[in-house]
Amino acid sequence: MKHIQEIEIFLHNEKIDIFLISESHLVRTSYIKIKGYNLYHAIHPAERARGGSAILIKENIKHYEELKIEEEIMQVTTLNIQVKNKTFNVSSIYCPPRHNLKKEDYIKLFKTLSSNFVIGGDFNAKNTYWGSRIVTPKGKELFEAGKSCNCDFHSGGAPTYWPSDTKKTPDLIDFFVTKGIANSYIHIENSEGLSSDHSPIIITISETIIKKETLPRLTNNKTNWEQFCKIIDERINLRVLLKDQNQLEEELDLFNETIKEAAQESTPVIQTGEKTYVSYPMEIRELVAEKRKARRRWQNHRSQQNKTMLNHLSNKLTHTIKEVKNETITRYLLTLTDGKDSDYSLWKATRQIKRPKVQVPPIKKENDTWARSAKQKADLFAEYLEETFHPLPRQTAFENTSFIHKIDECEIQKVTLFELKQEINKNLNAKKAPGYDLISGQIIKNLPEKGLRKLLQIINGSFRLKYVPRQWKIAEVIMIPKPNKPPNDKKSYRPISILPTMSKLFEKLLLKRMKPIIEERELIPPHQFGFREKHSTIEQVHRITNIIEGALESKKVCSTIFLDVAQAFDKVWHRGLQFKLNKYLPRQYYEILKSYITDRFFRVKFEDEYSDLKKINAGVPQGSVLGPILYLLYTRDLPITDEGTVATFADDTAIMAIGKNVKEATEKLQKATNEISNWTKRWRIKLNETKSTHINFTYQKVNNMTININSQKIQYASTAKYLGMTLDTKLKWKEHVKKKKEELNIKFRKMNWLLGRHSELTIHNKLLLYRQILKPVWTYGIQLWGCTKKSNAQMIQTFQNKVLRCIVNAPWYIRNDDLHRDLQVEHIEDEIKKHASKHVARLQQHENVYIRHMIDNPIVERRLQRRKPLDLVNG
């Protein structure tokens, strides 16, 4: 309690009514006075200035002190609060870290409090349930005690303890436990108002339901679209000629503001948070009335008989309410469907399965301090991304980026009103998140014809002036944590860019005009399968495995390296990209694309805070339509030598070389790798040597030779993952199937409450969930891994058998074949044949020369007794 003045300022600024203090270090004779507040405290039993808890409460709140707890294992201060004829306990607690409290200790504590209470402080107990990083024994015991006593846990989700040792990680150990107070009346927020190693958390308990903050939106389901169209028609002026870039910017600004004003004026504010009343059955209401009478009798007479009757009615009421809740949940589950009639309730109920709860950890700065608040994190991420969106330094002495002056005039074709309407109706997703301007796809779809004509005027003006407006070049970035990465590291987050809806519509129309030129000039090489129509990951993997199969059949070695390109899309060198666009495309397209990639900005959004705008100096725009195509054009001249085969899917690159022995294959591979390494240096692309993988596909027993990139040894592995498929040295697919089985088991455990034997979902809905969420996990690449031995495929069949038995709660004597027949679910072998047939039919009509060569020139020599993808059609 050394910072009395600081606490006084905090109480005044935050308008705190009751202030709970942990580890107060007070003694029996301590006297502290803050104007307008009373102090109550519990001290450590040793009566020294250590541990302890305290409460500061405003004098005008009716209250009195309850029995305090002053024990070694915990110190608890408790007040009885009276507010508008309602009473409840408020307690401050401190639990020293060295004592391992058990479930019984916590239950004993909760029973000393009234039926309605709030207890908060430093529990020194960690559990992921309330937002800690880990689960400790004390956290597990406290959670179990809370469940048994029908308590709720509340925290801000962010760390509250900030150790002075920067090597230690902050964690959440301060939180609230409540009972008898509905969650909808409670709001929790973290604060940074005190200079302590424990940051305060503020709990607000309201008399009415607290309105939850929602994402900012211009419209809702009550928007009057007729009024919206009327306002747009009244305020838009089509008689403006877009003569220059400034006028284009001004008209787009005015158009955006008109749309926003029309949307806001046509959208009523939905009143949320109003108090709603639950209609309980008459049986429960009668029990409540009987319980109240029994309580009054016991309070008046205090006889054991009355107390027994009160306990009996209380237990009966609790049991009846639990049964009613279970019936309500059962009815809810039975009504879940995947259709529009129930607003896709089934998928909303399962959304949390695919999106696990994300913690809110602090992010470590370069100086070993922590970014705690949302604003600090937004600024930290923005600074990190600003460095990321910067080109790599020059790596070679020779960088020839001299531009060729072109005189070809290939005017960009104007967009017609009919084409614009078609693009909006067919290819614009109304449910996609809007950009920073909040103009959503739904708003664009509801524009009247006059509004569409204005949008058409702006897009065609951009094409004619070969200029992209600034508003369409601002991205809003949100950070998504990468799985299995340290959450406190800023590098463990993936940026997701959201661009304005109009910008994406503009890009789609421009790309539509670029595609014929790209196809006519064959600007995308045949080895590149990424972001191309009729080219999939499976077809690229099949091309690779076909080469490996040929090497295995001819007793050769296929030495392969899977390259990892560091920040491939974020580090594209703008000067080099402009050089290549000028070289490959007509001048008009080069000029508008130059405008498109330059002078771009972004801001980071974290929770409800934003960073300042930052400039993008490198990379192709993330979240854009044109970005992937620009990357393909930038990397189209990737060198291909006679020594090796190159396979690319966007930035996922594989280099393969075949030789009679490992020495010959490795030497060829090294030569091809050197060519690509030199090319990447010239175009400022960095290969990540530590994440690249070298593997030899062969049946021979070989001593592996080293492959080097930039004088660094590439790690050798017995398996390698490429485009979601795990390849082993003999291409037996066993490792791939095992990994898929592990992934399936994890997903099924998370879905057990919906698919398990005790789930009340209908069999139809259970099967739908299985087919939509679990089945795609193992059917991906089945056209290729279906070549594996039947014993390996049986691992997936066993999993499917288990799921089907759970879905129908089948007893042990029901045959698996009968389940498949009755549920109309195909066996794994039948699925393999079905997918293989579709795959072969697709390959036979493929436009890529490499795929056609694979089909027209199959492996003739069949030395090995093993199935190949083209054999699966006939079993």
Side-chain angles (χ1 to χ4, degrees), residues 535-581:
H535 288 69
S536 70
T537 55
I538 299 303
E539 288 158 358
Q540 183 68 293
V541 178
H542 189 178
R543 177 177 164 237
I544 285 178
T545 56
N546 188 67
I547 295 171
I548 297 170
E549 291 279 359
L552 296 177
E553 289 286 0
S554 57
K555 298 183 180 181
K556 294 181 179 179
V557 176
C558 179
S559 190
T560 304
I561 184 170
F562 296 96
L563 296 175
D564 181 87
V565 182
Q567 300 172 324
F569 291 84
D570 299 335
K571 290 290 189 182
V572 171
W573 177 33
H574 281 177
R575 173 74 178 178
L577 177 59
Q578 291 172 23
F579 169 79
K580 294 188 178 184
L581 293 176

Side-chain angles (χ1 to χ4, degrees), residues 624-682:
S624 67
V625 178
L626 289 173
I629 298 299
L630 294 179
Y631 182 80
L632 299 190
L633 294 175
Y634 185 64
T635 58
R636 78 167 298 271
D637 57 346
L638 184 77
I640 300 175
T641 66
D642 296 335
E643 304 295 335
T645 301
V646 174
T648 54
F649 194 96
D651 61 320
D652 289 305
T653 304
I655 312 172
M656 314 174 73
I658 297 176
K660 295 179 181 178
N661 50 54
V662 68
K663 183 176 183 297
E664 180 183 342
T666 305
E667 288 176 351
K668 289 182 177 180
L669 181 62
Q670 184 68 70
K671 187 175 180 180
T673 303
N674 290 342
E675 288 284 335
I676 290 179
S677 178
N678 293 332
W679 176 87
T680 59
K681 290 177 182 178
R682 179 183 174 188

